[in-house]
Amino acid sequence: MLDVTVIEDAEAAAVSLDPIRARLLAELAAGPASAAMLAGKVGLPRQKVNYHLKTLERHGLVELAGERRKGNVTERLMRATAASYVISPLALAAVQPDPDRFRDQLSARWLLALGARLVRDVGTLITGATKARKRLATYALDGEVTFASAAERAAFIEELTAGVGALISKYHDGDATGGRPHRIVVAVHPTVRPETPADPVVADGADPVAGRPAVTAVTGSGTENEDPAGPETSR
């Protein structure tokens, strides 16, 4: 079972969003189970659970883990194909975000569009690499920093921009024969705290409340038009 997988098909996305089927996926992520075993947990007749399982199986969200004999009946033990699922913007291809349509480094909505493209592209690369039985070369950095003031945050952003820009200029070689393009995404946003749902909202382009924590994430991956199963094979 995979730790996480990306759902790219619109019908599979719709199936996964059904509350009953989502509950079944959660149960099967914990371990294999039959329709009869799941019926008592979700409060549905075995026949209805079996119907939902067949639908999930048809869209690749669950798979057969084994069979067991119980009396005169052979039960199919099913398991989730992943512990968690992410729905790609490809599932809503006609209305998926396009970061190139509007570029504003201080816009939270532009950041959201970048994040959506990241999910789409990395999901596509994973799909291709899995089919080719290749490893995918990616890297991600996730950290948290607390700024003493908005001025400190602004200084941090300035240094971060200069530093990453210098690295890109140093290593980028557009004329390299067989060179492989990689996309770099750097994001800074206030940390979401589950225990503080009433945090004040920060408008697009505005500085966050002084002293409020922020997350910095840097992610690199191959570009969407490259061969996802090319020569680079790092974890």
Side-chain angles (χ1 to χ4, degrees), residues 14-15 34 61 70 78-79 101 104 141 165 170 199 228 233:
V15 166
S34 66
L61 300 175
K70 191 173 182 180
M78 307 302 294
R79 67 184 173 199
R101 186 182 302 126
D104 180 355
L141 172 67
K170 178 179 179 180
D199 267 352
T233 57

Side-chain angles (χ1 to χ4, degrees), residues 146-213:
T146 299
F147 298 114
S149 66
E152 289 289 308
R153 174 186 179 275
F156 175 86
I157 295 298
E158 184 176 350
E159 289 188 40
L160 181 64
T161 301
V164 174
L167 282 172
I168 291 174
S169 297
K170 178 179 179 180
Y171 289 100
H172 175 65
D173 186 352
D175 298 323
T177 302
R180 189 170 191 177
H182 282 65
R183 188 179 299 281
I184 309 297
V185 178
V186 180
V188 177
H189 62 81
T191 301
V192 176
R193 299 292 192 192
E195 65 273 18
T196 55
D199 267 352
V201 175
V202 181
D204 283 1
D207 281 324
V209 178
R212 188 174 179 192

